[in-house]
PDB file of all heavy atoms in Angstrom:
ATOM      1  N   GLU M 802      16.332 -20.364 -12.751  1.00 44.00           N
ATOM      2  CA  GLU M 802      15.105 -20.346 -13.532  1.00 44.00           C
ATOM      3  C   GLU M 802      14.039 -19.548 -12.795  1.00 44.00           C
ATOM      4  O   GLU M 802      13.799 -19.742 -11.610  1.00 44.00           O
ATOM      5  CB  GLU M 802      14.625 -21.779 -13.785  1.00 44.00           C
ATOM      6  CG  GLU M 802      15.525 -22.549 -14.726  1.00 44.00           C
ATOM      7  CD  GLU M 802      14.979 -23.931 -15.029  1.00 44.00           C
ATOM      8  OE1 GLU M 802      14.095 -24.376 -14.274  1.00 44.00           O
ATOM      9  OE2 GLU M 802      15.418 -24.534 -16.010  1.00 44.00           O
ATOM     10  N   SER M 819     -11.677 -13.630 -19.691  1.00 97.00           N
ATOM     11  CA  SER M 819     -12.182 -14.143 -18.422  1.00 97.00           C
ATOM     12  C   SER M 819     -12.655 -13.013 -17.522  1.00 97.00           C
ATOM     13  O   SER M 819     -13.697 -13.131 -16.856  1.00 97.00           O
ATOM     14  CB  SER M 819     -11.091 -14.956 -17.721  1.00 97.00           C
ATOM     15  OG  SER M 819     -11.551 -15.457 -16.494  1.00 97.00           O
ATOM     16  N   SER M 841     -10.186  -8.622  -7.080  1.00 96.00           N
ATOM     17  CA  SER M 841      -9.093  -9.529  -6.743  1.00 96.00           C
ATOM     18  C   SER M 841      -9.492 -10.977  -7.026  1.00 96.00           C
ATOM     19  O   SER M 841      -8.704 -11.762  -7.569  1.00 96.00           O
ATOM     20  CB  SER M 841      -8.707  -9.369  -5.270  1.00 96.00           C
ATOM     21  OG  SER M 841      -8.114  -8.115  -5.034  1.00 96.00           O
ATOM     22  N   SER M 884      -2.982   8.955 -15.257  1.00 97.00           N
ATOM     23  CA  SER M 884      -2.488   8.431 -13.986  1.00 97.00           C
ATOM     24  C   SER M 884      -3.663   8.186 -13.056  1.00 97.00           C
ATOM     25  O   SER M 884      -4.754   8.737 -13.258  1.00 97.00           O
ATOM     26  CB  SER M 884      -1.490   9.401 -13.337  1.00 97.00           C
ATOM     27  OG  SER M 884      -2.131  10.605 -12.966  1.00 97.00           O
ATOM     28  N   ILE M 900       7.360   8.445  15.961  1.00 81.00           N
ATOM     29  CA  ILE M 900       7.382   9.874  15.639  1.00 81.00           C
ATOM     30  C   ILE M 900       6.145  10.531  16.251  1.00 81.00           C
ATOM     31  O   ILE M 900       5.025  10.268  15.827  1.00 81.00           O
ATOM     32  CB  ILE M 900       7.425  10.095  14.116  1.00 81.00           C
ATOM     33  CG1 ILE M 900       8.736   9.526  13.545  1.00 81.00           C
ATOM     34  CG2 ILE M 900       7.278  11.572  13.763  1.00 81.00           C
ATOM     35  CD1 ILE M 900       8.825   9.586  12.030  1.00 81.00           C
ATOM     36  N   VAL M 914       7.281   6.631   6.338  1.00 94.00           N
ATOM     37  CA  VAL M 914       6.126   6.110   5.597  1.00 94.00           C
ATOM     38  C   VAL M 914       6.583   5.136   4.518  1.00 94.00           C
ATOM     39  O   VAL M 914       5.998   4.058   4.331  1.00 94.00           O
ATOM     40  CB  VAL M 914       5.317   7.275   4.979  1.00 94.00           C
ATOM     41  CG1 VAL M 914       4.292   6.753   3.972  1.00 94.00           C
ATOM     42  CG2 VAL M 914       4.624   8.080   6.076  1.00 94.00           C
ATOM     43  N   PHE M 946     -12.573  -0.208 -19.840  1.00 98.00           N
ATOM     44  CA  PHE M 946     -11.609  -0.631 -18.842  1.00 98.00           C
ATOM     45  C   PHE M 946     -10.182  -0.484 -19.364  1.00 98.00           C
ATOM     46  O   PHE M 946      -9.935  -0.573 -20.571  1.00 98.00           O
ATOM     47  CB  PHE M 946     -11.856  -2.099 -18.455  1.00 98.00           C
ATOM     48  CG  PHE M 946     -13.299  -2.405 -18.154  1.00 98.00           C
ATOM     49  CD1 PHE M 946     -14.105  -3.017 -19.114  1.00 98.00           C
ATOM     50  CD2 PHE M 946     -13.858  -2.055 -16.941  1.00 98.00           C
ATOM     51  CE1 PHE M 946     -15.441  -3.289 -18.855  1.00 98.00           C
ATOM     52  CE2 PHE M 946     -15.196  -2.324 -16.664  1.00 98.00           C
ATOM     53  CZ  PHE M 946     -15.987  -2.941 -17.628  1.00 98.00           C
ATOM     54  N   GLY M 969      -2.867  20.015   4.842  1.00 93.00           N
ATOM     55  CA  GLY M 969      -2.138  19.442   5.962  1.00 93.00           C
ATOM     56  C   GLY M 969      -1.620  18.039   5.714  1.00 93.00           C
ATOM     57  O   GLY M 969      -1.207  17.352   6.657  1.00 93.00           O
ATOM     58  N   PHE M 981       3.573  10.724  -4.173  1.00 97.00           N
ATOM     59  CA  PHE M 981       2.981  10.158  -2.958  1.00 97.00           C
ATOM     60  C   PHE M 981       2.149  11.196  -2.229  1.00 97.00           C
ATOM     61  O   PHE M 981       2.426  12.402  -2.290  1.00 97.00           O
ATOM     62  CB  PHE M 981       4.064   9.665  -1.975  1.00 97.00           C
ATOM     63  CG  PHE M 981       5.061   8.722  -2.559  1.00 97.00           C
ATOM     64  CD1 PHE M 981       6.420   9.021  -2.535  1.00 97.00           C
ATOM     65  CD2 PHE M 981       4.666   7.513  -3.112  1.00 97.00           C
ATOM     66  CE1 PHE M 981       7.355   8.152  -3.056  1.00 97.00           C
ATOM     67  CE2 PHE M 981       5.589   6.639  -3.641  1.00 97.00           C
ATOM     68  CZ  PHE M 981       6.937   6.955  -3.612  1.00 97.00           C
TER      69      PHE M 981
END
Side-chain angles (χ1 to χ4, degrees):
E802 291 184 344
S819 180
S841 292
S884 66
I900 296 175
V914 168
F946 312 100
F981 307 122

